[in-house]
Amino acid sequence: MGDLLGKLFEQHELTKEEMIYFLKHLTPDLKYRLFDLAVQTRKKFYNESVFMRGLIEFSNFCKQDCLYCGLRRSNSRAERYRLTEEEILECAAEGYRLGYRSFVLQSGEDCYFTEERMISLVKNMKAQYPDAAITLSIGERSEAFYRALFDAGTDRYLLRHEAASRSLYQALHPGMSYDNRVNCLWTLKKMGYQVGAGFMVGLPGQTCEHLAEDLLFLKELHPEMIGIGPFIPHSATPLKAAQGGTVEDTLVMIAMARLLIPDALMPATTAMGSLDREGREKALLAGSNVVMPILSPLKVREKYALYENKICMGDEAARCRSCIEMRIAAAGFKIELSRGDHCSFITHT
């Protein structure tokens, strides 16, 4: 086990069989060493910096029916909303005043937000805030759509691969195509986006083999951003009675991803903080280096419920930033409010 951890740290790779063995035999002492090596690795590329992204969740309509997600189209209990372009720009304006220079626009797969509407939004944001980075996280679209939004000024695109196992992916995503998901990620990567992928830990039916496949997929894709969080059941989904993922298991995946893809930007997710009051700090101490405070209007925050009991639903944007900033400083890290580009893109921006 010590040799495997050394190989992971020094060579940034393990075989699938080695990963499975490592996950099945990880002791508390080795876990502590794993987290420590992940932090050392992150420091080589990003020092003590933790990058802040302002998150704007602008629509909770979704055409997909993923079994784990509270936004799934079959959830008749969901109170749907869409922000107007003006409302989205108001959120960005508030975030800019608070110092954010990186914005993440996230929604369900909402066909209302056409190529034309998204181009208008991105161009207006870029015109007003030319020094800010814009990330989209709006699901699977066509290659032409991705190209048009890239040309309009979008810098990054988040699209979690969700499961590298074809069978697990198909079981959780009725009506969706595993191949299309993977093709979207490679298309975005080749197009020049800073790309984000990732997965949840603790999904029903997920095994150590599946987790190893997820890590190997990330190693092959080498995305600029990697989002890993725990599965949290939602009461209005088919998986409502399933056991959720744990913070501890998620920390192991974060640390292993950091060692496998050492230069990645990795968020300490809100889901971690929702399961454990110090979950985001623990993620930072396992290799994460990004946080995404919410800028969405208070009136809609509770409606964007991928899962339930989400934190920060009642905090104003200024309070949210102040709170997370104090937490990050207390954990021994330094807030970074710049664009926060991936290190390989810094010379090009």
Side-chain angles (χ1 to χ4, degrees), residues 56-276:
I56 305 171
E57 296 164 332
F58 64 91
S59 169
N60 71 347
F61 282 85
C62 191
K63 70 177 185 179
Q64 304 294 4
D65 217 18
C66 307
L67 299 190
Y68 49 79
C69 183
L71 303 192
R72 65 194 310 261
R73 69 170 186 268
S74 294
N75 180 9
S76 59
R77 287 162 40 188
E79 188 179 348
R80 305 292 178 175
Y81 75 90
R82 292 185 179 106
L83 298 184
T84 64
E85 180 173 313
E86 291 70 28
E87 288 173 318
I88 297 169
L89 292 172
E90 286 173 12
C91 294
E94 183 174 17
Y96 197 86
R97 286 194 297 271
L98 290 170
Y100 293 100
R101 296 299 180 266
S102 180
F103 299 102
V104 179
L105 305 180
Q106 186 174 75
S107 72
E109 291 200 19
D110 185 355
C111 298
Y112 172 83
F113 285 95
T114 60
E115 182 179 311
E116 182 181 9
R117 287 190 170 104
M118 292 307 301
I119 287 173
S120 172
L121 174 58
V122 168
K123 284 188 172 180
N124 279 329
M125 282 188 70
K126 278 293 187 178
Q128 294 181 44
Y129 315 114
D131 57 336
I134 296 176
T135 302
L136 294 182
S137 179
I138 57 176
E140 296 179 11
R141 300 289 184 122
S142 68
E143 181 174 351
F145 179 97
Y146 291 147
R147 170 57 65 189
L149 269 295
F150 185 76
D151 291 343
T154 306
D155 301 279
R156 307 167 187 155
Y157 204 101
L158 304 182
L159 184 69
R160 285 189 177 186
H161 68 275
E162 304 295 4
S165 159
R166 182 184 295 273
S167 59
L168 184 60
Y169 182 91
Q170 297 292 169
L172 295 168
H173 303 89
M176 296 178 69
S177 163
Y178 170 85
D179 290 325
N180 190 62
R181 192 70 164 198
V182 171
N183 288 340
C184 282
L185 281 164
W186 283 110
T187 296
L188 290 161
K189 181 89 172 170
K190 292 172 184 175
M191 209 169 276
Y193 280 95
Q194 294 182 54
V195 174
F199 59 96
M200 284 185 288
V201 179
L203 285 162
Q206 190 181 60
T207 64
C208 289
E209 182 176 0
H210 292 139
L211 293 171
E213 289 171 356
D214 283 320
L215 291 171
L216 287 169
F217 174 78
L218 292 173
K219 178 68 175 175
E220 180 186 9
L221 180 67
H222 201 122
E224 286 71 32
M225 300 164 286
I226 296 173
I228 300 174
F231 161 61
I232 303 177
H234 190 293
S235 64
T237 70
L239 301 183
K240 61 185 177 183
Q243 184 176 348
T246 67
V247 167
E248 202 67 20
D249 288 344
T250 306
L251 292 173
V252 170
M253 288 296 105
I254 290 171
M256 290 187 71
R258 169 59 66 197
L259 294 178
L260 285 165
I261 306 96
D263 58 355
L265 291 156
M266 298 179 60
T269 65
T270 304
M272 292 290 277
S274 298
L275 281 188
D276 182 330

Side-chain angles (χ1 to χ4, degrees), residues 301-313:
R301 285 195 194 177
E302 290 190 359
K303 299 174 185 177
Y304 199 84
L306 305 174
Y307 54 88
E308 293 166 315
N309 301 314
K310 191 175 176 182
I311 57 171
C312 303
M313 291 299 95

